[in-house]
């Protein structure tokens, strides 16, 4: 699983990468996940819906991330624009 | 006679100065503002090559997340359409949802009725990165589109509640948006025609 974060002036940045089946790596992923949420990021997981179309799921806790997810994408939380 | 000519010359000079000064004032104000906000730092921080590479990465990420058809829509037309799910009971229906959204990079999301092309509203939403990693809070354009797409497909209500709602036409020219909707319709028609022709050739 890879944790990616969108950044201005850069595009996505790799925050962390690891295998959720390896306890040590899973802990590192959870720590990095929480750090991003603490910084005010939203976390989304790209998934394929039952009808075959792609969509995303917003997750608030690492437990909500599907175990087989390849990526979690962090992006700044939405704010009302002008 | 000489006095009269002198007065005329003075009046002409004063009038000419007024005209020149009025056209110079905005430019002077602009330069004063740029100097006050650290113009030299802005120039040093802005790197067009970096922005281009960032947008290239963002486009690849967007492409890897959305359906092939959606990617081609964005590539060809410059915006994405997302079907509305609230109230339809059909989820992301294939043209059956009562409303849909157009997602433009760094512009408001537009809600509209696909059957009539009637524009409903504009939802102004940003994803500001307060860390300003390269001096800007703005994501690359395609990351902005992907962030809107993820938020809309994952939790439409949450995104809409975070946005500022305005009547259609506040920021985006309604005629331009209707023209985009018409272009999308033509694009889909052409895409269907090509697909049908390909399947006919295959049989």
């Amino acid at each position: 699983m890879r944790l990616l974060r969108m950044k201005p002036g850069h595009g996505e940045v790799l925050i962390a990468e690891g295998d959720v089946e390896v306890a040590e790596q899973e802990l590192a992923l959870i720590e990095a996940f929480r750090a991003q949420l603490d910084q005010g990021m939203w976390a989304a997981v790209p998934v394929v819906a039952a009808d075959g179309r792609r969509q995303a799921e917003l997750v608030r806790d690492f437990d909500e991330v599907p175990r087989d997810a390849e990526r979690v994408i962090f992006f700044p939380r939405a704010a009302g624009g002008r | 006679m000489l006095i009269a000519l002198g007065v005329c010359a003075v009046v002409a000079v004063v009038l000419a100065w007024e005209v020149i000064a009025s056209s110079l004032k905005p430019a002077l104000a602009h330069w004063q503002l740029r100097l006050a906000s650290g113009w030299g730092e802005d120039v040093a921080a802005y790197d067009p090559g970096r922005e281009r590479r960032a947008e290239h990465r963002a486009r690849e990420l967007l492409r890897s997340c959305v359906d092939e058809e959606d990617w081609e829509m964005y590539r060809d037309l410059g915006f994405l359409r997302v079907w509305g799910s609230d109230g339809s009971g059909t989820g992301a229906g294939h043209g059956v949802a009562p409303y849909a959204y157009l997602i433009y990079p760094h512009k408001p999301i537009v809600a509209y009725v696909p059957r009539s092309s009637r524009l409903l509203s504009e939802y102004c939403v940003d994803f500001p990165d307060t860390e300003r990693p390269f001096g800007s809070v703005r994501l690359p354009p395609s990351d902005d589109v992907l962030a809107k797409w993820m938020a809309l497909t994952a939790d439409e209500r949450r995104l809409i509640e975070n946005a500022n709602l305005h009547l259609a036409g506040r920021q985006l020219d309604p005629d331009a948006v209707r023209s985009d909707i018409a272009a999308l319709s033509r694009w889909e028609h052409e895409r269907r025609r090509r697909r049908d022709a390909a399947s006919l050739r295959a049989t």
Side-chain angles (χ1 to χ4, degrees):
Chain A
M1 182 185 294
R2 290 184 301 147
L3 307 188
L4 307 171
R5 174 172 167 179
M6 293 178 181
K7 284 224 173 195
H10 194 282
E12 91 269 17
V13 174
L14 180 65
I15 302 293
E17 185 170 15
D19 185 342
V20 290
E21 301 305 326
V22 179
E24 204 172 278
Q25 293 181 25
E26 185 186 20
L27 277 177
L29 286 169
I30 291 171
E31 203 170 299
F33 181 95
R34 286 178 180 158
Q36 291 302 311
L37 260 53
D38 287 346
Q39 290 171 35
M41 297 290 121
W42 278 0
V45 181
V47 293
V48 178
D51 64 0
R53 287 187 69 84
R54 291 185 178 187
Q55 59 183 55
E57 283 177 8
L58 290 181
V59 289
R60 294 180 175 88
D61 193 282
F62 194 80
D63 288 343
E64 296 175 14
V65 179
R67 299 290 289 179
D68 60 348
E70 291 178 5
R71 296 175 295 182
V72 180
I73 300 173
F74 297 92
F75 57 102
R77 70 173 60 230
R82 282 177 297 160
Chain B
M1 179 70 179
L2 277 176
I3 293 171
L5 278 174
V7 169
C8 284
V10 169
V11 169
V13 167
V14 168
L15 287 175
W17 172 249
E18 282 297 316
V19 171
I20 292 168
S22 64
S23 63
L24 282 179
K25 263 181 191 167
L28 278 171
H30 172 75
W31 281 101
Q32 279 171 345
L33 206 68
R34 294 299 299 267
L35 286 170
S37 62
W39 183 57
E41 287 173 23
D42 284 353
V43 169
Y46 183 72
D47 175 355
R50 186 188 63 226
E51 298 297 329
R52 206 165 40 243
R53 290 190 295 277
E55 172 58 10
H56 180 71
R57 281 192 202 96
R59 285 177 75 86
E60 289 306 311
L61 184 64
L62 174 65
R63 184 178 190 173
S64 72
C65 289
V66 301
D67 285 308
E68 188 185 343
E69 181 180 348
D70 287 344
W71 161 251
E72 289 175 5
M73 184 189 303
Y74 181 65
R75 181 197 62 196
D76 296 346
L77 302 173
F79 58 83
L80 273 184
R81 179 203 44 215
V82 172
W83 297 109
S85 60
D86 260 15
S88 71
T90 56
H94 301 272
V96 296
Y99 65 98
Y101 299 101
L102 295 182
I103 301 178
Y104 296 94
H106 293 306
K107 286 182 184 173
I109 296 169
V110 179
Y112 73 103
V113 181
R115 289 189 195 281
S116 63
S117 298
R118 185 164 68 90
L119 306 185
L120 298 173
S121 45
E122 291 180 0
Y123 294 97
C124 302
V125 63
D126 286 331
F127 299 92
D129 191 331
T130 50
E131 284 184 15
R132 297 174 171 262
F134 291 97
S136 170
V137 296
R138 273 160 60 113
L139 294 172
S142 296
D143 270 352
D144 180 72
V145 168
L146 178 57
K148 288 170 180 163
W149 179 85
M150 288 194 297
L152 265 181
T153 59
D155 196 341
E156 177 184 340
R157 191 169 292 242
R158 188 177 177 191
L159 181 69
I160 294 309
E161 283 173 1
N162 275 281
N164 285 331
L165 168 67
H166 297 291
L167 290 174
R170 182 176 183 264
Q171 285 197 48
L172 298 174
D173 177 5
D175 289 338
V177 177
R178 283 191 205 98
S179 166
D180 282 346
I181 294 169
L184 174 58
S185 179
R186 287 194 301 273
W187 182 85
E188 287 185 307
H189 178 77
E190 178 62 20
R191 193 181 156 84
R192 268 196 303 274
R193 193 190 62 75
R194 280 206 306 266
R195 196 173 51 216
D196 292 348
S199 61
L200 266 177
R201 278 198 301 274
T203 52

